[in-house]
């Protein structure tokens, strides 16, 4: 029996209510569809997400001889996306440190293939079923849930839930998740989305919004409106694929979708459709999180690495030393792979190893490496440079508060030092203005001459 399936694509993207720019990108072709959530700050994130979609776009409309070929091509396109984003970042210092998530699907022969990196998501909603997330988030909290250190509920609302552990454009090597192809059925809905949707909305809300008779464009509009109603903390991007069964495929979205083998239940493995498999064994490689990661006590390692190091020596992880010490540098690079994170305050993503912030240590303005938070008891920062000689209490109160809260971030040690120098000037100006007996910003209890380098 021949059965035709048609896939209609709908999409929408919105900046949300907090961000100034939309760094998400989306792709709806005829056979390939994707979302990418860029990171790296203004413009860089947009470049990253746009660049990552180009190799995916090139697959659109291509014919493949087998499931395996389609899957391989999709994975190779994601690997190429990684190469492209890394290359752009290398070529332009303004773009260095950029990255993006990438969740891409291709539809061939009535089957959905998925390749995925990051914390954007693909969902399947099958008529009469509850919605199921097809992709695994590459996030710190997801890892901690798997390690039994956080509950699923805690993870859903954790302030550092957008700390991601894998992204396109960050490292030259990329590990890509894929799944066995999913046999599409009439009535299926596939939702690709960035975390700007799934942060504010839970699975039940997504199901309610998808499970309606309205037009797909209207569903996309409602998804975005709901995320915005819930605060719209991030860019929101949705691609919705609706599968319908017809006998006609001409002009349909799936030009090469003509026949389907008997449909196994979703998640059923190993039963390749006889018509096209043409080989023994599973038809797809499955790239999931490598086994050694799950057996490794990853969080323990993180905890060790992220402990304040060399506080007494006043250095912590020193980049120059790392270069001179290969063993140490690998560890640091490994850490960079593991923890790519969203700074909650600025909303911008940064590599932990490249992230700095100004904080307070024993009353002194201090430069830290990492982010000013703990996740499940794991400290994600350590002292980069102390001994600035600037007392936090001497700063104007609103700046002092920001310093105490670790809200002043910097993209590099140089930038952090520059900020500290500005603070030093502020303190000196305040002293000049108020004279020796201040009652304003400076602390009268602080003996003069104390605020110097030890
Ligand atoms: Mg996002």
């Amino acid at each position: 029996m021949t059965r035709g399936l048609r896939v209609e694509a709908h999409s929408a993207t919105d900046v949300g209510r907090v961000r100034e720019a939309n760094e998400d990108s989306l792709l709806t072709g005829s056979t390939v569809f994707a979302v990418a959530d860029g990171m790296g700050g203004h413009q860089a994130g947009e470049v990253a997400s746009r660049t990552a979609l180009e190799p995916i776009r090139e697959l659109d409309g291509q014919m493949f001889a087998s499931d395996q070929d389609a899957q391989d091509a999709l994975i190779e396109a994601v690997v190429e996306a990684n190469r492209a984003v890394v290359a752009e970042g290398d070529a332009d210092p303004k773009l260095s440190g950029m990255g993006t998530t990438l969740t891409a699907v291709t539809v061939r022969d009535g089957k959905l293939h998925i390749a995925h990196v990051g914390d954007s998501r693909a969902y399947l909603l099958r008529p009469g079923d509850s919605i199921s997330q097809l992709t695994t988030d590459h996030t710190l909290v997801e890892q901690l849930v798997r390690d039994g250190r956080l509950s699923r509920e805690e993870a859903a609302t954790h302030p550092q839930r957008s700390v991601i552990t894998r992204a396109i454009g960050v490292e030259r090597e990329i590990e890509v998740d894929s799944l066995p192809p999913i046999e599409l059925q009439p009535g299926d809905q596939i939702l690709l989305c960035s975390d700007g949707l799934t942060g504010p909305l839970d699975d039940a809300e997504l199901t309610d919004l998808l499970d309606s008779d309205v037009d797909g464009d209207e569903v996309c509009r409602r998804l975005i409106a709901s995320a915005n109603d819930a605060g719209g903390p991030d860019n929101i991007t949705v691609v919705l694929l609706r599968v319908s069964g017809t006998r006609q495929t001409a002009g349909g979205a799936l030009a090469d979708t003509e026949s389907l083998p008997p449909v196994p239940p979703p998640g059923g493995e190993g039963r390749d459709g006889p018509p096209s498999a043409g080989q023994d064994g599973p038809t797809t490689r499955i790239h999931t999180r490598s086994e050694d990661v799950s057996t490794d006590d990853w969080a323990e390692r993180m905890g060790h690495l992220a402990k304040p190091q060399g506080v007494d020596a006043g250095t912590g992880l020193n980049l120059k030393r790392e270069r001179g010490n290969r063993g140490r540098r690998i560890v640091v690079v490994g850490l960079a792979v593991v923890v790519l994170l969203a700074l909650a305050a600025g909303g911008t993503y940064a590599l932990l190893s490249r992230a700095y912030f100004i904080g307070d240590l024993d009353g002194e303005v201090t430069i830290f490496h990492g982010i000013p938070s703990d996740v499940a008891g794991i400290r994600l920062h350590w002292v980069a440079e102390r001994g600035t000689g600037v007392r936090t209490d001497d700063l104007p109160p609103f700046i002092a508060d920001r310093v105490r809260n670790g809200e002043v971030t910097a993209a590099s040690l140089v930038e952090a030092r520059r900020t500290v120098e500005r603070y030093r000037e502020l303190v000196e100006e305040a002293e000049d203005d108020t004279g020796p007996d201040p009652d304003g910003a400076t602390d009268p209890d602080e003996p003069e001459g104390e605020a110097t380098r030890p």
Side-chain angles (χ1 to χ4, degrees):
M1 184 179 103
T2 299
R3 194 160 50 139
L5 285 187
R6 183 186 168 87
V7 172
E8 261 178 44
H10 307 271
S11 64
T13 185
D14 189 77
V15 68
R17 300 179 67 176
V18 173
R19 300 294 176 81
E20 284 178 3
N22 192 345
E23 299 183 57
D24 287 0
S25 294
L26 67 86
L27 167 64
T28 56
S30 60
T31 60
V32 295
F33 311 89
V35 297
D37 176 349
M39 59 198 77
H42 197 47
Q43 292 195 329
E46 289 172 59
V47 172
S49 63
R50 215 181 323 122
T51 302
L53 291 183
E54 285 313 313
I56 310 296
R57 192 188 310 276
E58 285 173 22
L59 292 183
D60 195 33
Q62 282 189 32
M63 309 288 264
F64 299 101
S66 67
D67 286 349
Q68 184 71 61
D69 285 357
Q71 189 69 38
D72 288 350
L74 187 61
I75 291 170
E76 181 50 41
V78 174
V79 170
E80 179 53 37
N82 186 61
R83 270 188 223 116
V85 177
V86 167
E88 286 220 35
D90 283 351
D92 185 348
K94 286 200 296 295
L95 301 176
S96 69
M98 69 177 175
T100 182
T101 72
L102 180 55
T103 300
V105 301
T106 180
V107 183
R108 176 197 167 269
D109 196 22
K111 293 176 200 149
L112 184 81
H113 300 264
I114 301 177
H116 163 73
V117 174
D119 70 344
S120 297
R121 291 179 178 176
Y123 286 93
L124 169 66
L125 180 60
R126 188 150 275 181
D129 264 354
S130 51
I131 198 167
S132 53
Q133 184 181 337
L134 301 172
T135 48
T136 300
D137 295 347
H138 300 140
T139 58
L140 184 57
V141 292
E142 176 65 26
Q143 185 64 47
L144 293 170
V145 167
R146 284 166 182 247
D147 290 347
R149 289 168 189 252
L150 275 186
S151 72
R152 186 61 64 191
E153 293 68 36
E154 288 170 320
T157 56
H158 198 283
Q160 297 300 333
R161 63 184 175 277
S162 49
V163 173
I164 69 175
T165 54
R166 233 195 279 176
I168 298 285
V170 173
E171 292 275 317
R172 273 160 223 287
E173 297 290 318
I174 186 74
E175 187 186 0
V176 182
D177 278 9
S178 74
L179 298 170
I182 293 166
E183 308 258 10
L184 294 173
Q185 300 176 10
D188 281 355
Q189 298 189 77
I190 306 292
L191 175 68
L192 311 181
C193 57
S194 62
D195 67 330
L197 183 75
T198 51
L201 303 181
D202 63 22
D203 286 1
E205 290 165 311
L206 293 180
T207 304
D208 283 348
L209 287 158
L210 291 176
D211 221 354
S212 67
D213 291 334
V214 300
D215 171 74
D217 289 343
E218 174 63 13
V219 170
C220 290
R221 203 189 60 73
R222 290 182 187 180
L223 286 166
I224 284 179
S226 298
N228 275 328
D229 288 347
D234 196 2
N235 305 148
I236 311 153
T237 297
V238 297
V239 171
L240 175 64
L241 306 182
R242 283 183 155 180
V243 183
S244 56
T246 67
R247 299 190 59 83
Q248 310 263 321
T249 58
L254 301 180
D256 64 342
T257 294
E258 286 168 15
S259 64
L260 281 175
V263 176
E269 57 170 274
R271 298 208 291 118
D272 301 318
S276 61
Q279 61 182 44
D280 295 333
T283 55
T284 55
R285 287 178 293 157
I286 303 177
H287 298 240
T288 54
R289 184 178 294 285
S290 58
E291 293 311 310
D292 57 333
V293 173
S294 56
T295 54
D296 183 17
D297 194 344
W298 176 88
E300 190 89 329
R301 197 155 42 88
M302 268 297 303
H304 170 68
L305 285 170
K307 271 178 198 156
Q309 297 182 36
V311 169
D312 291 333
T315 52
L317 284 178
N318 181 302
L319 289 173
K320 279 180 202 133
R321 262 199 300 169
E322 285 148 28
R323 280 194 201 98
N325 180 335
R326 180 151 175 80
R328 177 66 168 271
R329 182 150 197 266
I330 289 168
V331 172
V332 174
V333 170
L335 182 65
V337 176
V338 165
V339 181
L340 184 82
L341 46 90
L343 296 176
T348 50
Y349 289 78
L351 276 170
L352 181 62
S353 66
R354 296 178 199 170
Y356 293 85
F357 68 94
I358 316 284
D360 175 281
L361 185 66
D362 300 333
E364 185 181 48
V365 172
T366 301
I367 300 174
F368 289 87
H369 214 139
I371 53 164
S373 72
D374 296 357
V375 173
I378 299 169
R379 189 178 290 182
L380 295 178
H381 54 267
W382 58 94
V383 172
E385 206 163 271
R386 66 186 305 181
T388 63
V390 180
R391 306 297 301 177
T392 307
D393 283 348
D394 292 345
L395 291 167
F398 75 96
I399 292 181
D401 282 348
R402 294 192 69 217
V403 167
R404 289 192 194 95
N405 294 333
E407 290 170 2
V408 181
T409 59
S412 67
L413 187 57
V414 171
E415 189 184 309
R417 284 174 179 154
R418 216 177 282 142
T419 302
V420 170
E421 282 316 305
R422 279 207 306 276
Y423 288 175
R424 192 190 311 283
E425 287 164 18
L426 277 176
V427 170
E428 287 167 3
E429 282 168 20
E431 280 171 357
D432 290 348
D433 289 350
T434 56
D437 187 25
D439 55 359
T442 49
D443 184 348
D445 293 330
E446 193 76 68
E448 240 192 319
E450 189 80 347
T452 53
R453 277 173 196 281

